[in-house]
Amino acid sequence: MYKAPVKEIAFTLNHVAGLGHAMEQGIFGDLSADVVEAILLEAGRFAGEEVEPLAEAGDRQGAKLVDGKVVLPDGWERLYRDWISGGWNGLTGPEEFGGQGLPHMLNIATLEMWNSASMAFGLAPTLTMGAVEALRAHGSEDLKKTYLAKLVSGEWTGTMNLTEPHAGSDVGALRSRAERRDDGTYRIFGQKIFITWGDHEATDNIVHLVLARLPDAPAGTRGISLFLVPKFLVNADGSLGARNDYFAHSLEHKLGIHGSPTCTLIFGDGKYGSEKGAIGWLVGEENKGLACMFTMMNNARLAVGIQGVAIAEAATQKAIAYARERTQGRAPGTAATGMSPIIEHPDVARMLLTMKSLTQGSRAICYACAEAIDMSHRDPQKAKHWQERAALLTPVAKSFSTDAGVDVASLGIQVHGGMGFIEETGAAQLLRDARIAPIYEGTNGIQAIDLVTRKLTIANGDHMRGFIAELCGIADAVAQSNLKGFGETAPRLRSAIDDLEKAGEWLLSRQADGALAEALAGATPYQRLFGLVLTGSYLAKGGLADAADGEGAKRIALCRFTAENLLAETAALADRVLVGASSLNAARIALA
Amino acid sequence: MYKAPVKEIAFTLNHVAGLGHAMEQGIFGDLSADVVEAILLEAGRFAGEEVEPLAEAGDRQGAKLVDGKVVLPDGWERLYRDWISGGWNGLTGPEEFGGQGLPHMLNIATLEMWNSASMAFGLAPTLTMGAVEALRAHGSEDLKKTYLAKLVSGEWTGTMNLTEPHAGSDVGALRSRAERRDDGTYRIFGQKIFITWGDHEATDNIVHLVLARLPDAPAGTRGISLFLVPKFLVNADGSLGARNDYFAHSLEHKLGIHGSPTCTLIFGDGKYGSEKGAIGWLVGEENKGLACMFTMMNNARLAVGIQGVAIAEAATQKAIAYARERTQGRAPGTAATGMSPIIEHPDVARMLLTMKSLTQGSRAICYACAEAIDMSHRDPQKAKHWQERAALLTPVAKSFSTDAGVDVASLGIQVHGGMGFIEETGAAQLLRDARIAPIYEGTNGIQAIDLVTRKLTIANGDHMRGFIAELCGIADAVAQSNLKGFGETAPRLRSAIDDLEKAGEWLLSRQADGALAEALAGATPYQRLFGLVLTGSYLAKGGLADAADGEGAKRIALCRFTAENLLAETAALADRVLVGASSLNAARIALA
């Protein structure tokens, strides 16, 4: 059913996220548009033909804990091995460890496809890639030598062990502990929950990155260290040794992503080995674990954002296909007798266009974020600019796209009517899967706090001001294009950008005045406002780039729909930021 | 966990929906506030102590088809019988058939409680009550005598057999057929899908109301007749006779409401009886079945609306309880050391207040709709006014409340963070259950078409204009109250009402000009706009009524939050109605 939108993805990469221009500049060596397209085509084929056929059964069957072993759904172990054989895990990995060193943009684009086909499956590489980033940035040479090649190829998977029952959003509250040993290794003890792909039999080994506290560590986030804890110890020759002392205690019974084993892991209980304690190796410095974990999490946040895009794309495809086939009633203004395809009913068209608009907008935001990450590594002269841009875009890419995933999946159910509520249709699964994405890797509320207090404030707001000037440039270019198809896009986009600017300046001034609570009250509306403005801006940028042919007319018409329907919301969002805090605070008594 | 908000429900009934005033006028005989409260208290106890404890297990186990019989979850048959023993099914039923003849408002209020406790369970009486209404209005004396008392008591349940694979929203497309027999009965043949509580063993008999076509019937909706088809034929002495010729072919595998058996029923396949064809009795006149079914559906639409309220209430309670207990991070402006309850974080407070506001607003809309239904029967001098009001409010009560149910349940998951995605928490089940309500009994898109083309247009728009004048009266009363707690409620409510008026007049003028497609393109935004304005207005009405004490201050503060945060959206919605159609139409090429 899912057909990777290779043309749309390539277009967005090349003309919205700037891959095309960067390749022309030689920034990615001899990478060419043809190679990019060939990679995308083959990824699309694999996602549609190999991954997706196992998605629904994987959901129905789910991952199970059987006699202490985590059993993946039928066919998934083979699927995973086929997938790594295709080289997909190492697409963007470092070449010195066997990776292909391709742009992160391309990695995000292919991640979108795996997640569209099966989000539960797409999670495995998402976590592994995060582990690669963290080890690459913070691991010792020994650790890199032992683990990186296997993680880059995907022969071993990686995990992120952060959450504990009392430490979710508040990482500083975690209690797992680490003890130093004489040989420079550590013993790890504690319980971790919600560990994605925390255990399974698809690979010979699993590399856990685990946050824990040393006995003499300071309280809070400054006393957290990061450890590498392999499932099986690795001998000097690379062969696998003893089983490490941790085990999967249970799997969660979740709303969605059933194929992905979400584990409670218990470390150091003495189940394996003669001495209690899982053996771990320090990554980075003692008590500096959170900084290392953030390397992993920033990467993961964009990778979660693309899950939202992926679900939105899959839901939109499914809904459009259904709405073309399903006939009910007579649409107004149709000459034909008999029932009309429901796509012709204005209200159904409104739902589908909204879905399409949110999908393309959130895709553009995620790709633009990936572009900034790529350029921060490849454009030394502007590295700081691109680092700031990536930092600024990450919370929006994560939150706006995952909210879009949920909203679009829910609209997709609505388009299907009663059939949408029946599991066999698959529309419901998309909503069930999508619903975790606004929560994990930092809830969208946490993203909003990050955006307002750490990203908007970069260079005292000047980076954001520069970005707003860029967005105004897009609106102006639309105005100057004189293309009728854009309708009121230019003034509406301009007005939405003004809302964004006004809200941002207010948030900066509140923080400057020390009124943090007021600023935080407006964080979520501001974050959505930002996402909507970017959606409008990037759809316009695409429309301008593609103005020539028939496809361009479609793109411009969707942009106009977005500007004249969705952007109407920005004024209300800015109003919530500027005015809402006071009434929110007063209304707290209603929650008492 | 669920605790029926008896005080809030009684307040809304008495002071927003006008039950208090009507009782003072003697409109409901000797019914008093004390009796109302006693009924609500006992219903709340039953819902919280008897129904809710079986809800989660009912979801996990689900209804099953075993050897041709529909098996309800463990304990549900006994629960249902205990529930009818309490007299709850006949609360509002006609006294001549054993009902208590109480106001429909009270029925809707108790339906809210059953559905908060378990929406899957609450569906059984919902359908039975619809059957009572249809039979009472259109059944022959014989049919009434044979079936009504049993349906009023709930000893037998009722169903509505409308949907077929190719006839959902488009009822006129149905193909089930009926043949006349010499004895005045009919034989029914065909397949019906999505039949709620279509079969089960909790009662001795089930009374199906089935739409089918006679051989010589005109095409489309004018050729549909309604038949009563009992599971077991009823002998002259009231005892049960032969099994009728239909059976439950399968149960649907659904996203939610697992405890409710959703059946495919096959009529006239020859499985039972010597002659093929299920025996049916005509209800109303031949070919006038749709009018009869609409009696049932209008009732059911409000009853589905209250499901949205019910889920929203349950989700809000659950989220507030969790947010009070769960500690993470330090909220800004708190002096305490250590972690804060998450309810103190501004963003969480925003979610919870939004949930509370939508819950109370949609409750008020549903109760006001029930009031209009009651008054249309009990206030003969203004019967037409109240009929029009009920007609106008029904689509908004259905759609706004069920959308609120989904939105609030989804926010409830978000407040729970990772725990919200774990099924055991129960927050996810609320979303899964809620998601059907915007679809069945006429999708919310169909409600919007009904609102714009058949309700807004009542008396050429004059009924709506009169209603808007009433709403302006509330805004003016807020302004005149000089209560500081209302903040900017008066001007913001007034501005929202202006948006509603402007959008409504435009929709009327487009229809008058024959531009139906343009009007329909704005139907859904208009419907939501209407619901938001009613939410603001009714919360204000409640605030004014309750201004004296401490609870009143809470109510007023929530009203202010609603006015200064949620109502900001109305301008965008009006804009979509007035401006959106043109770009929507132009963007259809993007769906080709």
Side-chain angles (χ1 to χ4, degrees):
Chain A
M1 171 74 213
Y2 166 70
K3 199 171 171 337
V6 171
K7 209 174 150 191
E8 181 64 31
I9 286 175
F11 179 87
T12 308
L13 284 174
N14 286 325
H15 300 291
V16 180
L19 177 62
H21 181 71
M23 287 191 297
E24 282 166 24
Q25 307 280 307
I27 286 177
F28 297 108
D30 57 1
L31 183 66
S32 68
D34 288 350
V35 173
V36 168
E37 199 187 329
I39 292 169
L40 293 175
L41 273 173
E42 176 54 17
R45 189 205 63 75
F46 195 98
E49 293 177 18
E50 312 281 335
V51 182
E52 208 229 4
L54 294 181
E56 197 208 324
D59 175 69
R60 222 177 318 118
Q61 195 179 357
K64 305 266 181 235
L65 190 62
V66 181
D67 300 332
K69 290 201 173 184
V70 173
V71 180
L72 294 176
D74 293 344
W76 279 40
E77 291 190 9
R78 189 194 50 71
L79 174 65
Y80 180 79
R81 288 191 288 262
D82 288 351
W83 182 83
I84 59 170
S85 299
W88 296 113
N89 198 72
L91 207 64
T92 197
E95 288 169 280
E96 54 182 314
F97 296 101
Q100 298 173 59
L102 288 165
H104 193 51
M105 280 182 265
L106 214 46
N107 194 38
I108 289 296
T110 51
L111 263 181
E112 179 192 318
M113 297 182 195
W114 320 130
N115 279 297
S116 280
S118 166
M119 185 168 142
F121 181 80
L123 275 164
T126 298
L127 274 293
T128 307
M129 289 165 192
V132 168
E133 284 304 304
L135 271 187
R136 194 179 171 189
H138 307 286
S140 68
E141 289 310 309
D142 261 7
L143 287 181
K144 287 185 190 173
K145 212 184 82 189
T146 311
Y147 293 98
L148 261 183
K150 296 284 192 183
L151 286 168
V152 166
S153 69
E155 272 177 277
W156 298 348
T157 59
T159 75
M160 169 153 69
N161 276 251
L162 187 155
T163 305
E164 300 179 8
H166 294 278
S169 299
D170 193 339
V171 189
L174 68 82
R175 297 172 188 171
S176 288
R177 59 196 177 80
E179 292 175 4
R180 295 183 190 88
R181 293 172 88 211
D182 295 341
D183 63 356
T185 65
Y186 297 77
R187 290 273 180 180
I188 313 292
F189 304 86
Q191 183 187 352
K192 295 286 183 180
I193 62 171
F194 299 162
I195 308 309
T196 298
W197 281 75
D199 199 18
H200 59 84
E201 306 287 319
T203 56
D204 297 334
N205 207 0
I206 301 174
V207 180
H208 301 288
L209 292 179
V210 184
L211 289 181
R213 288 184 183 287
L214 288 161
D216 49 2
T221 52
R222 288 172 194 181
I224 295 173
S225 306
L226 182 65
F227 301 92
L228 183 153
V229 180
K231 181 171 180 177
F232 291 97
L233 305 184
V234 183
N235 298 320
D237 65 355
S239 64
L240 295 183
R243 176 70 154 86
N244 213 343
D245 185 22
Y246 80 87
F247 66 100
H249 171 267
S250 54
L251 296 195
E252 299 295 350
H253 174 215
K254 308 183 298 288
L255 175 61
I257 51 167
H258 292 163
S260 165
T262 305
C263 302
T264 294
L265 298 184
I266 294 181
F267 292 87
D269 200 46
K271 187 176 167 94
Y272 296 100
S274 53
E275 185 190 345
K276 268 194 183 185
I279 300 174
W281 283 261
L282 185 69
V283 179
E285 295 175 44
E286 286 187 354
N287 299 332
K288 297 276 169 72
L290 209 59
C292 307
M293 189 57 100
F294 265 110
T295 302
M296 191 164 178
M297 279 183 73
N298 263 327
N299 182 312
R301 284 176 174 182
L302 174 56
V304 168
I306 205 69
Q307 292 182 330
V309 177
I311 293 279
E313 173 65 35
T316 303
Q317 284 192 19
K318 196 181 272 289
I320 290 179
Y322 184 80
R324 281 181 185 147
E325 278 192 13
R326 171 77 172 175
T327 57
Q328 288 288 276
R330 186 92 52 84
T334 49
T337 54
M339 296 193 287
S340 310
I342 62 171
I343 201 169
E344 293 181 9
H345 290 284
D347 192 61
V348 175
R350 174 181 290 280
M351 289 193 275
L352 295 171
L353 288 168
T354 302
M355 294 166 76
K356 208 158 174 142
S357 174
L358 291 173
T359 303
Q360 295 195 5
S362 57
R363 173 181 291 129
I365 295 169
C366 287
Y367 290 9
C369 184
E371 176 197 24
I373 293 169
D374 275 326
M375 298 304 276
S376 72
H377 300 304
R378 313 247 187 174
D379 186 356
Q381 289 180 324
K382 290 182 70 187
K384 183 162 165 288
H385 166 81
W386 287 114
Q387 279 162 14
E388 290 176 354
R389 179 60 51 86
L392 179 67
L393 283 176
T394 295
V396 187
K398 195 277 181 180
S399 63
F400 186 77
S401 304
T402 56
D403 284 343
V406 172
D407 291 346
V408 171
S410 191
L411 282 170
I413 290 179
Q414 193 68 21
V415 170
H416 282 82
M419 290 306 296
F421 199 64
I422 306 302
E423 285 286 2
E424 285 77 2
T425 307
Q429 187 192 332
L430 291 172
L431 177 62
R432 288 191 291 98
D433 288 353
R435 194 61 194 80
I436 186 59
I439 295 172
Y440 61 17
E441 291 310 319
T443 64
N444 286 0
I446 298 279
Q447 304 298 326
I449 294 173
D450 179 53
L451 174 63
V452 166
T453 64
R454 286 190 289 267
K455 307 302 174 62
L456 171 61
T457 51
I458 292 171
N460 293 315
D462 281 345
H463 184 87
M464 184 67 191
R465 291 185 192 105
F467 195 23
I468 282 180
E470 287 177 36
L471 301 177
C472 288
I474 297 175
D476 292 347
V478 172
Q480 284 153 19
S481 77
N482 279 322
L483 289 165
K484 271 193 162 177
F486 275 120
E488 295 296 304
T489 297
R492 290 200 162 234
L493 180 54
R494 190 60 204 237
S495 161
I497 297 169
D498 288 348
D499 290 328
L500 179 65
E501 184 177 23
K502 198 170 53 177
E505 293 299 337
W506 189 87
L507 291 170
L508 285 165
S509 79
R510 297 321 293 137
Q511 292 183 81
D513 294 349
L516 185 60
E518 278 183 64
L520 293 185
T524 288
Y526 177 72
Q527 184 166 249
R528 180 166 175 80
L529 169 53
F530 197 176
L532 278 175
V533 166
L534 290 176
T535 295
S537 303
Y538 288 142
L539 288 184
K541 191 176 177 188
L544 288 166
D546 199 23
D549 63 9
E551 288 301 303
K554 290 184 185 181
R555 201 174 289 285
I556 289 169
L558 186 67
C559 175
R560 180 185 162 205
F561 171 81
T562 305
E564 297 184 15
N565 282 274
L566 305 196
L567 292 193
E569 197 186 324
T570 60
L573 291 162
D575 189 70
R576 271 175 215 169
V577 174
L578 272 68
V579 176
S582 164
S583 64
L584 187 154
N585 199 41
R588 283 167 177 275
I589 56 168
L591 298 175
Chain B
M1 171 74 212
Y2 166 69
K3 198 170 169 340
V6 171
K7 210 175 148 189
E8 181 64 30
I9 287 176
F11 179 87
T12 309
L13 284 173
N14 286 325
H15 299 292
V16 180
L19 177 62
H21 181 71
M23 287 191 297
E24 281 168 23
Q25 306 280 305
I27 286 176
F28 297 109
D30 56 3
L31 184 67
S32 68
D34 289 349
V35 173
V36 167
E37 201 188 327
I39 292 170
L40 294 175
L41 274 172
E42 175 54 19
R45 190 204 63 75
F46 195 98
E49 295 177 16
E50 312 282 335
V51 181
E52 209 229 4
L54 294 181
E56 197 209 322
D59 175 68
R60 221 177 318 119
Q61 194 179 359
K64 305 267 183 235
L65 190 62
V66 182
D67 299 332
K69 289 202 171 182
V70 173
V71 180
L72 294 176
D74 294 343
W76 280 40
E77 292 191 7
R78 189 194 50 70
L79 174 66
Y80 179 78
R81 287 190 288 262
D82 288 350
W83 182 82
I84 59 170
S85 299
W88 297 113
N89 198 71
L91 207 65
T92 198
E95 289 170 279
E96 53 181 315
F97 295 102
Q100 297 173 59
L102 288 165
H104 194 50
M105 280 183 265
L106 213 46
N107 192 40
I108 288 298
T110 50
L111 262 181
E112 180 193 317
M113 298 183 195
W114 320 132
N115 279 297
S116 280
S118 167
M119 186 169 142
F121 180 81
L123 275 163
T126 299
L127 273 292
T128 306
M129 289 166 193
V132 167
E133 284 303 303
L135 270 187
R136 194 180 171 188
H138 306 287
S140 67
E141 288 310 311
D142 262 7
L143 288 181
K144 288 185 190 173
K145 214 182 80 188
T146 309
Y147 294 98
L148 262 183
K150 298 283 193 183
L151 286 168
V152 166
S153 69
E155 272 178 277
W156 298 348
T157 58
T159 75
M160 168 154 70
N161 276 252
L162 187 155
T163 305
E164 300 179 8
H166 295 279
S169 298
D170 193 338
V171 189
L174 69 82
R175 296 171 189 171
S176 289
R177 59 195 177 80
E179 291 177 3
R180 295 183 190 90
R181 293 172 87 213
D182 295 342
D183 64 357
T185 65
Y186 297 77
R187 291 274 181 181
I188 313 294
F189 305 86
Q191 183 188 352
K192 294 288 182 178
I193 62 170
F194 299 161
I195 308 307
T196 299
W197 281 76
D199 200 16
H200 60 85
E201 305 288 318
T203 56
D204 298 332
N205 207 0
I206 301 174
V207 180
H208 301 288
L209 292 179
V210 184
L211 289 180
R213 287 184 184 288
L214 287 162
D216 49 2
T221 52
R222 288 174 195 179
I224 295 173
S225 306
L226 182 65
F227 301 92
L228 182 153
V229 180
K231 181 169 179 179
F232 291 97
L233 305 184
V234 182
N235 299 321
D237 65 355
S239 63
L240 296 182
R243 176 72 155 84
N244 212 344
D245 184 24
Y246 81 89
F247 66 100
H249 172 267
S250 54
L251 296 195
E252 299 296 349
H253 175 217
K254 308 184 298 288
L255 175 61
I257 54 167
H258 293 162
S260 165
T262 305
C263 303
T264 294
L265 298 183
I266 294 180
F267 292 87
D269 201 47
K271 185 176 168 93
Y272 296 101
S274 52
E275 186 189 344
K276 269 196 183 183
I279 300 173
W281 283 262
L282 186 70
V283 179
E285 293 175 46
E286 287 187 352
N287 300 330
K288 298 277 168 71
L290 209 59
C292 307
M293 189 56 102
F294 264 109
T295 302
M296 190 162 177
M297 280 183 73
N298 262 325
N299 182 312
R301 283 174 175 184
L302 174 56
V304 168
I306 204 69
Q307 293 183 328
V309 178
I311 294 279
E313 172 65 36
T316 304
Q317 284 191 20
K318 196 181 272 291
I320 290 179
Y322 184 80
R324 282 182 185 146
E325 279 192 14
R326 171 77 173 174
T327 58
Q328 288 290 277
R330 187 93 50 87
T334 50
T337 54
M339 295 194 287
S340 311
I342 62 171
I343 200 169
E344 292 181 9
H345 290 286
D347 192 61
V348 175
R350 175 181 290 281
M351 288 193 275
L352 294 172
L353 289 168
T354 303
M355 294 166 77
K356 209 159 172 140
S357 173
L358 291 173
T359 304
Q360 295 195 5
S362 58
R363 174 182 291 128
I365 296 169
C366 287
Y367 290 9
C369 184
E371 175 197 24
I373 293 170
D374 275 325
M375 298 304 277
S376 72
H377 299 306
R378 312 248 188 174
D379 185 358
Q381 287 180 325
K382 292 182 69 186
K384 182 162 166 289
H385 166 82
W386 287 114
Q387 279 162 14
E388 290 175 356
R389 179 60 50 87
L392 178 66
L393 284 176
T394 295
V396 187
K398 195 277 180 180
S399 63
F400 186 77
S401 305
T402 56
D403 284 344
V406 172
D407 291 346
V408 171
S410 192
L411 282 169
I413 290 178
Q414 193 69 20
V415 169
H416 282 82
M419 290 305 296
F421 199 63
I422 306 302
E423 285 287 1
E424 285 76 1
T425 307
Q429 186 192 333
L430 291 172
L431 177 62
R432 289 191 290 97
D433 287 353
R435 193 60 193 82
I436 186 59
I439 295 171
Y440 60 18
E441 292 308 322
T443 64
N444 287 1
I446 297 280
Q447 304 297 327
I449 294 173
D450 178 52
L451 174 64
V452 166
T453 65
R454 286 189 290 266
K455 305 302 174 63
L456 171 62
T457 51
I458 291 172
N460 293 314
D462 281 344
H463 184 87
M464 184 66 190
R465 291 184 192 104
F467 193 25
I468 282 180
E470 287 176 38
L471 301 176
C472 288
I474 296 175
D476 293 347
V478 171
Q480 284 152 20
S481 77
N482 279 322
L483 290 165
K484 271 192 161 178
F486 275 121
E488 295 296 304
T489 298
R492 289 201 165 236
L493 182 54
R494 190 60 204 236
S495 160
I497 297 169
D498 288 348
D499 290 330
L500 179 65
E501 184 176 22
K502 199 169 53 178
E505 293 299 336
W506 188 87
L507 291 171
L508 284 166
S509 80
R510 297 322 293 137
Q511 292 184 80
D513 293 350
L516 185 60
E518 279 183 63
L520 293 185
T524 288
Y526 177 72
Q527 185 166 248
R528 179 167 175 80
L529 169 53
F530 197 176
L532 278 175
V533 166
L534 290 176
T535 294
S537 303
Y538 288 142
L539 288 183
K541 191 176 176 187
L544 288 167
D546 198 22
D549 62 11
E551 287 301 303
K554 291 183 184 182
R555 203 174 287 285
I556 288 168
L558 186 68
C559 175
R560 180 185 162 204
F561 171 81
T562 305
E564 296 183 17
N565 281 275
L566 305 197
L567 292 193
E569 197 186 325
T570 61
L573 291 163
D575 189 71
R576 270 174 216 169
V577 175
L578 271 68
V579 176
S582 164
S583 64
L584 187 153
N585 199 42
R588 283 167 177 274
I589 55 168
L591 298 175

